[in-house]
Amino acid sequence: MEVDNEALLEMTWRSPSNIALVKYWGKHGRQLPSNPSISFTLSRAFTETTVLFTPRRDSATPIVKSFLFEGKTNQAFARRIETFLQQITDKLPFLQQLQLDISSVNSFPHSAGIASSASAMSALALCLVEGRQRLKGDSFDLEDTINEVSEFARLGSGSASRSVVAPIGIWGAHPDIPGSSDRYAISFPFELHSSFDNWKDSILLVSDEVKAVSSSAGHQLMKNHPFARTRFKQARANIRRITVAMQQGDIGAFGTIVEEEALTLHGLMMNSRPSFMLLLPETVRIIQSLRRWRRQADVPVYFTLDAGPNVHLLYPSTHADRVLQWMEKELPEYLQSDKIVRDEVGMGPVKV
Ligand code: PMV
């Protein structure tokens, strides 16, 4: 990044992606969720974002002065970030006086088909809130500002709200979850059973094609979805059930809910008006093979899916060797390093 003599401040945050266990699908108002969701915060799939703040002399010029993604100018990302920043100037008026040089890199391959908006928007939100504090001459403490950071991340991308809390994020108000809110995510407020310590997420990259239907379009289709009401009710019930399972150490119940949620998400897509499908034959092959093996081997490994064809395998790290052996036998192509992201549940963002 070119250093500007007038630069006021520069900072870098690394923020992870997350994988939803109970899915957010459908929104209203200003990026508010139609149902609560819960996720594992990841560790190795992250975005590292540097923001250089300089004064802006003319309010007609864009806030985003430059946007480099993986070292290259990216106009499409610059436009998306500009729209986002313009939308939040009512909440962050200091942006009206500034221009930003933003530079962002992902730890995972760019074309991997992993949703990067959660890590990217949360890393940016961290830079914005810390930037505001420090330009005011105030200190910055993530713990004190975590709700606000999560809220700005949410305004950029709903699921990003959960990436700033760890190891488990809950976003969306739920009567059984103290402190839960539609505006920001909180970390799991109960005692987590030790059987949920140290879980892995092996992300099997089935396709690197750009998705035919974006998440935003998918959320919109929930507005007149024939099953919307039932779905939102089911998600609330699943939040209740999964949080109980995670306190009691009921791994079987946890896995059943996680898989139901993944297939429901894709079922909703297939039943949207108009209908769309992001699953690929490869996705189904992996799921069938996993279920067959799990019945015989009795290993607690469960699949989940994002809004795309990639398969996330979730399992306790104590079972990592057996999962690897199964993959060697059944999915040898996934042992090539560029087709799998070996991730695990992590501890949230870090200042670089
Ligand atoms: O944050 P968005 O708008 O990209 O939506 C994400 C939706 C899912 O990834 C499918 C589910 C979730 O809760 O993360």
Side-chain angles (χ1 to χ4, degrees):
M1 183 182 292
E2 217 175 275
V3 178
D4 189 319
N5 290 334
E6 291 184 307
L8 297 172
L9 193 62
E10 186 186 77
M11 73 193 59
T12 302
W13 276 93
R14 171 186 290 185
S15 191
S17 186
N18 68 76
I19 179 68
L21 307 166
V22 171
K23 311 288 181 182
Y24 146 61
W25 200 240
K27 61 180 173 181
H28 61 95
R30 204 166 164 185
Q31 196 93 310
L32 295 164
S34 299
N35 65 262
S37 56
I38 181 168
S39 54
F40 276 151
T41 306
L42 297 179
S43 163
R44 301 207 186 130
F46 60 79
T47 299
E48 207 169 275
T49 296
T50 299
V51 176
L52 179 75
F53 296 87
T54 48
R56 184 158 57 130
R57 307 250 171 262
D58 168 11
S59 62
T61 56
I63 301 176
V64 179
K65 187 171 163 214
S66 67
F67 190 98
L68 294 185
F69 180 67
E70 317 254 294
K72 292 199 195 106
T73 304
N74 189 315
Q75 295 298 352
F77 286 177
R79 277 194 296 275
R80 182 167 173 204
I81 300 298
E82 179 69 26
T83 309
F84 164 59
L85 295 177
Q86 293 288 354
Q87 277 167 359
I88 59 168
T89 47
D90 59 335
K91 292 174 186 283
L92 285 176
F94 85 112
L95 288 174
Q96 276 154 358
Q97 271 101 52
L98 295 170
Q99 54 184 6
L100 275 49
D101 288 285
I102 306 172
S103 156
S104 200
V105 285
N106 285 346
S107 63
F108 42 91
H110 167 45
S111 57
I114 298 186
S116 59
S117 59
S119 53
M121 286 302 183
S122 53
L124 181 60
L126 285 153
C127 293
L128 295 178
V129 175
E130 181 178 359
R132 183 202 57 197
Q133 293 299 102
R134 295 199 20 216
L135 288 168
K136 268 201 306 197
D138 290 348
S139 59
F140 173 77
D141 182 344
L142 182 55
E143 240 177 79
D144 292 345
T145 50
I146 193 89
N147 292 348
E148 209 186 359
V149 172
S150 173
E151 181 160 9
F152 288 122
R154 176 203 108 219
L155 290 166
S157 167
S159 57
S161 65
R162 297 185 310 245
S163 276
V164 300
V165 289
I168 293 160
I170 301 181
W171 169 43
H174 190 290
D176 292 0
I177 318 279
S180 60
S181 167
D182 280 354
R183 285 176 37 225
Y184 48 80
I186 56 165
S187 64
F188 194 72
F190 310 110
E191 193 166 341
L192 185 67
H193 193 277
S194 57
S195 33
F196 288 97
D197 291 343
N198 303 318
W199 274 56
K200 300 268 184 203
D201 178 5
S202 295
I203 313 170
L204 309 182
L205 306 175
V206 167
S207 163
D208 59 8
E209 303 226 331
V210 177
K211 283 187 282 183
V213 179
S214 69
S215 292
S216 321
H219 288 295
Q220 286 311 315
L221 288 171
M222 285 308 287
K223 293 224 155 100
N224 67 346
H225 197 289
F227 302 144
R229 231 181 219 274
T230 318
R231 160 59 192 159
F232 302 142
K233 197 167 157 217
Q234 174 202 33
R236 283 190 291 273
N238 278 346
I239 287 279
R240 183 172 303 122
R241 292 166 60 215
I242 204 167
T243 50
V244 170
M246 292 172 93
Q247 291 172 80
Q248 294 180 342
D250 190 344
I251 296 185
F254 167 89
T256 304
I257 298 164
V258 166
E259 294 192 349
E260 175 183 300
E261 280 288 320
L263 295 178
T264 298
L265 171 70
H266 285 266
L268 289 165
M269 293 175 192
M270 289 185 247
N271 287 293
S272 290
R273 294 173 174 157
S275 154
F276 66 106
M277 193 192 292
L278 301 180
L279 296 179
L280 290 175
E282 185 77 333
T283 316
V284 178
R285 175 171 91 78
I286 296 170
I287 292 174
Q288 303 280 43
S289 169
L290 179 80
R291 284 185 157 172
R292 255 194 317 269
W293 175 62
R294 192 173 58 203
R295 268 196 299 274
Q296 297 157 11
D298 196 25
V299 171
V301 48
Y302 305 97
F303 69 84
T304 188
L305 306 160
D306 236 328
N310 298 325
V311 181
H312 291 243
L313 297 181
L314 303 177
Y315 51 95
S317 58
T318 43
H319 293 272
D321 288 349
R322 292 194 71 195
V323 174
L324 198 69
Q325 275 163 19
W326 167 73
M327 280 173 59
E328 252 162 32
K329 190 158 160 267
E330 291 295 318
L331 313 169
E333 67 274 30
Y334 285 95
L335 298 171
Q336 296 158 24
S337 58
D338 59 344
K339 286 195 84 180
I340 176 167
V341 175
R342 291 159 197 268
D343 214 330
E344 59 198 18
V345 177
M347 289 316 296
V350 274
K351 177 84 191 285
V352 180

